[in-house]
Amino acid sequence: MNRHQNDLRLLLVNANNGKAKELIREVNKYYVDIDDNLTFLQDGKHFLWTSEMDGWHHIYKYDMNGQRLGNLTKGKWDVTSFYGVDEKNGLVYYQAAKNSPMDREIYTVDLNGKNATTITDQDGWNSAQFSSTFDYYVLSHSTINTPTTYTVYNRDNQEVRVIENNARL
């Protein structure tokens, strides 16, 4: 990233000989907003990258030559958190402000960018912490009038147990 933070270059470097290859270059008139959402897939041929290159923050899939293979997410809304990839089941997990900037929903999408599905059906603010295998997650949910609740769900989005419902509040 240059000093003005408007020219980003993602390099792939061979640690043995120091040779570098540019994978991605993003240039913006004002600045390039970056985060740490670079995920190399286990096949060794692809990686995922989040970017605002189309004006909205989305997830993109690339090959190891830096060729963009497409958007995994797209639309006039932002991906607000990237939770990770369940490669065994071919799913990417993320949070988005798809319905309203005031709400956050949790979604999955196939690694080919198809079948985006919400795994939360509650209006308000939803966030999640996933197990390393994506078999379980803790959903945190709140609204402007409801304090945060914490509930454990399994892969099939079935409630396992409530950790804290804050009913007395």
Side-chain angles (χ1 to χ4, degrees):
M1 178 81 78
N2 66 346
R3 186 173 179 90
H4 295 291
Q5 297 183 351
N6 63 356
D7 188 349
L8 169 77
R9 295 173 191 216
L10 178 64
L11 303 176
L12 183 65
V13 180
N14 183 323
N16 294 324
N17 61 24
K19 290 187 180 182
K21 172 172 86 168
E22 185 175 283
L23 285 180
I24 298 176
R25 182 170 186 197
E26 284 190 44
V27 178
N28 185 292
K29 182 178 177 182
Y30 302 105
Y31 70 94
V32 176
D33 188 20
I34 62 167
D35 48 39
D36 295 332
N37 295 325
L38 170 64
T39 303
F40 290 96
L41 300 183
Q42 292 174 354
D43 67 6
K45 299 177 183 178
H46 302 95
F47 65 94
L48 304 182
W49 176 257
T50 59
S51 172
E52 292 182 352
M53 70 178 73
D54 69 356
W56 300 92
H57 196 249
H58 285 292
I59 305 168
Y60 299 88
K61 185 176 182 180
Y62 287 84
D63 67 18
M64 293 305 289
N65 292 316
Q67 175 75 32
R68 188 171 70 187
L69 303 175
N71 298 41
L72 297 188
T73 61
K74 56 185 156 193
K76 294 183 177 184
W77 48 271
D78 287 313
V79 169
T80 50
S81 289
F82 175 83
Y83 293 123
V85 181
D86 175 5
E87 290 191 60
K88 179 180 173 185
N89 293 293
L91 295 173
V92 176
Y93 290 82
Y94 62 96
Q95 178 195 64
K98 205 170 192 179
N99 298 327
S100 162
M102 303 298 290
D103 291 338
R104 296 293 185 270
E105 309 86 32
I106 311 299
Y107 291 89
T108 63
V109 66
D110 296 342
L111 274 168
N112 60 10
K114 306 251 187 265
N115 303 315
T117 305
T118 182
I119 64 172
T120 53
D121 59 358
Q122 305 173 77
D123 289 339
W125 198 278
N126 297 281
S127 63
Q129 291 179 306
F130 288 88
S131 67
S132 61
T133 59
F134 292 91
D135 288 328
Y136 297 95
Y137 64 95
V138 175
L139 178 68
S140 303
H141 172 261
S142 65
T143 69
I144 194 167
N145 297 313
T146 309
T148 306
T149 61
Y150 303 92
T151 308
V152 178
Y153 289 88
N154 64 20
R155 171 180 298 288
D156 298 323
N157 301 316
Q158 296 171 334
E159 184 178 303
V160 174
R161 76 178 187 97
V162 175
I163 298 172
E164 180 64 57
N165 66 11
N166 283 315
R168 72 177 204 276
L169 298 176

